């Protein structure tokens, strides 16, 4: 059909996994007669020179943006290239605080969330009433999350006031949020891959050794049948969240509330699909390539 695309991975991305993800997509496009090229963003001749933004090496119809770099995505969109996902959608998902705000008001169950005020002075004093207010609103344990993070790395738990104040101090100049601990099923959540508003794969993630169910932290994935009645609300809420946020592709993490109800945890614009493909046998790369090509018909 004469389309050409680029697949952009982050220069400093997870070694191996990022590239394998890109290569899987590339081969699915090739199987459909579409040439793509994998590019590791960095210093690509993009920038603003004189009065104009430039993206010299980027003549193509679409970019699969397996990155979160907001400068490059802004320039590419300004050049009229269709990004999967789009620049502004990636930005909202990248920031866990912005994601919660964007999802609010749409009838989702969300963890109660308190936003750390912006602090740009590492030497600024902490206000003890802030810690008291967080504890009063959210109780203990409380989840403390860096706004930008993945694979569980920036997600912490404070069991008492002294752990809370230590985290408040440590993260003072880092954008972060405080969340009610959702404990319907500790160490378990549901990951759903949604493409074009439709759930394509889902797994139950369980971690026996940590409240964080991330595969990168030892969580194990188990296939969920998309038609499984027990998970029907999880699947439909994942699809709804992806639609509300306008995602072409995403992985939605959903916690179990007190009564087993779905509570939206976060939405990943660039969810790795290797783990969920292994757990479910679904060819996620093929589904995504088909969706992208289908959107040009
Ligand atoms: N509010 C919460 N209550 C209980 N567990 C949580 C909460 N938020 C996150 N978790 C656990 O921590 C994991 C990582 O949190 P998440 O927000 O998805 O960050 P990341 O981007 O690092 O995956 C989740 O998959 C879930 O198991
Ligand atoms: Mg997550």
């Amino acid at each position: 059909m004469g389309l050409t695309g680029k697949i952009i991975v982050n220069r400093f991305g997870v070694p191996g996994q990022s590239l394998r993800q890109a290569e899987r997509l590339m081969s699915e496009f090739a199987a459909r007669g579409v040439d793509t090229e994998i590019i590791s963003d960095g210093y690509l001749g993009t920038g603003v020179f004189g009065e104009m933004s430039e993206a010299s090496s980027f003549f193509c119809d679409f970019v699969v943006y397996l990155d979160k770099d907001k400068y490059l995505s802004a320039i590419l969109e300004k050049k009229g290239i269709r990004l999967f996902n789009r620049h502004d959608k990636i930005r909202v998902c990248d920031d866990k605080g912005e994601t919660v705000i964007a999802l609010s008001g749409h009838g989702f169950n969300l963890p109660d969330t308190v936003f750390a005020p912006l602090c740009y002075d590492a030497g600024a004093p902490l206000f003890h009433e802030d810690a008291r207010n967080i504890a009063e609103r959210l109780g203990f344990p409380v989840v403390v999350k860096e706004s930008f993070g993945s694979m569980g790395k920036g997600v912490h738990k404070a069991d008492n006031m002294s752990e809370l104040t230590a985290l408040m101090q440590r993260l003072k100049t880092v954008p972060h949020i405080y969340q009610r601990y959702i404990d319907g099923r500790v160490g378990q959540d549901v990951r759903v891959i949604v493409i074009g508003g439709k759930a394509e794969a889902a797994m139950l993630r369980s971690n026996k050794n940590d409240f964080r169910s991330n595969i990168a932290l030892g969580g194990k994935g188990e296939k969920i049948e998309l038609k499984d009645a027990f998970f029907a609300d999880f699947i439909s809420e994942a699809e709804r969240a992806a639609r509300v946020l306008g995602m072409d592709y995403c992985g939605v993490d959903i916690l179990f509330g007190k009564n087993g109800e779905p509570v939206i945890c976060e939405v990943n614009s660039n969810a790795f699909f290797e783990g969920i493909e292994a757990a479910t046998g679904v060819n996620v790369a093929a589904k995504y390539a088909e969706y992208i090509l289908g959107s040009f018909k």
Side-chain angles (χ1 to χ4, degrees):
M1 66 177 81
L3 287 175
T4 57
K6 312 251 185 214
I7 303 169
I8 296 186
V9 297
N10 183 265
R11 181 65 124 216
F12 308 103
V14 184
Q17 200 167 8
S18 300
L19 195 58
R20 283 201 300 278
Q21 178 117 338
E23 285 167 352
R24 286 273 291 100
L25 281 165
M26 189 181 193
S27 69
E28 295 298 343
F29 282 116
R32 289 159 182 79
V34 173
D35 280 339
T36 54
E37 184 190 354
I38 297 173
I39 298 181
S40 169
D41 72 344
Y43 307 88
L44 293 167
T46 55
V48 174
F49 305 100
E51 190 266 327
M52 295 294 287
S53 63
E54 271 182 30
S56 50
S57 57
F58 271 92
F59 295 107
C60 61
D61 301 296
F62 66 87
V63 163
V64 189
Y65 204 69
L66 304 181
D67 194 1
K68 297 176 184 171
D69 184 292
K70 63 183 179 182
Y71 303 113
L72 181 58
S73 54
I75 291 175
L76 296 178
E77 279 198 349
K78 212 161 172 172
K79 292 286 153 198
I81 299 172
R82 171 69 159 96
L83 259 56
F84 296 86
N85 292 293
R86 295 180 195 275
H87 162 82
D88 55 331
K89 315 301 180 199
I90 295 174
R91 286 196 67 184
V92 169
C93 283
D94 194 25
D95 182 331
K96 294 182 202 304
E98 276 204 49
T99 311
V100 179
I101 295 170
L103 289 174
S104 66
H106 291 274
F108 294 107
N109 300 314
L110 299 165
D112 290 341
T113 302
V114 169
F115 299 84
L118 174 68
C119 174
Y120 39 80
D121 176 4
L126 271 187
F127 297 98
H128 282 287
E129 78 225 43
D130 286 346
R132 273 202 307 276
N133 286 340
I134 292 167
E136 260 166 39
R137 287 308 294 267
L138 304 177
F140 286 113
V142 61
V143 174
V144 185
K145 254 187 224 191
E146 296 173 30
S147 300
F148 302 92
S150 56
M151 295 184 279
K153 281 192 298 255
V155 177
H156 319 275
K157 181 161 68 74
D159 287 321
N160 52 48
M161 202 52 120
S162 76
E163 287 180 12
L164 175 60
T165 50
L167 280 164
M168 289 175 80
Q169 184 64 36
R170 178 147 77 83
L171 298 177
K172 200 164 36 180
T173 57
V174 177
H176 66 282
I177 59 178
Y178 301 85
Q179 276 190 341
R180 186 180 297 283
Y181 186 56
I182 305 299
D183 60 357
R185 288 201 197 181
V186 172
Q188 275 198 330
D189 71 0
V190 174
R191 159 61 65 89
V192 187
I193 296 290
V194 185
I195 301 175
K198 188 168 165 281
E200 296 288 2
M203 64 178 170
L204 178 67
R205 298 189 301 186
S206 311
N207 194 342
K208 288 197 175 68
N209 304 312
D210 200 298
F211 78 100
R212 299 165 297 178
S213 60
N214 303 73
I215 303 286
L217 296 176
K220 298 279 177 263
E222 208 182 309
K223 177 174 185 162
I224 291 175
E225 296 292 345
L226 295 172
K227 298 240 166 338
D228 186 336
F230 183 83
F231 290 105
D233 292 349
F234 286 73
I235 303 298
S236 64
E237 287 299 79
E239 289 181 337
R240 216 160 66 74
R243 290 196 194 122
V244 164
L245 297 176
M247 307 311 291
D248 295 304
Y249 170 95
C250 63
V252 186
D253 293 347
I254 310 182
L255 303 161
F256 292 83
K258 277 257 174 294
N259 303 306
E261 74 281 10
V263 179
I264 307 278
C265 174
E266 67 149 355
V267 179
N268 301 277
S269 63
N270 294 16
F272 282 127
F273 51 69
E274 219 172 28
I276 198 161
E277 283 190 332
T280 64
V282 175
N283 187 338
V284 173
K287 303 258 183 208
Y288 195 17
E290 258 160 35
Y291 165 77
I292 290 171
L293 299 180
S295 70
F296 285 95
K297 283 189 182 135

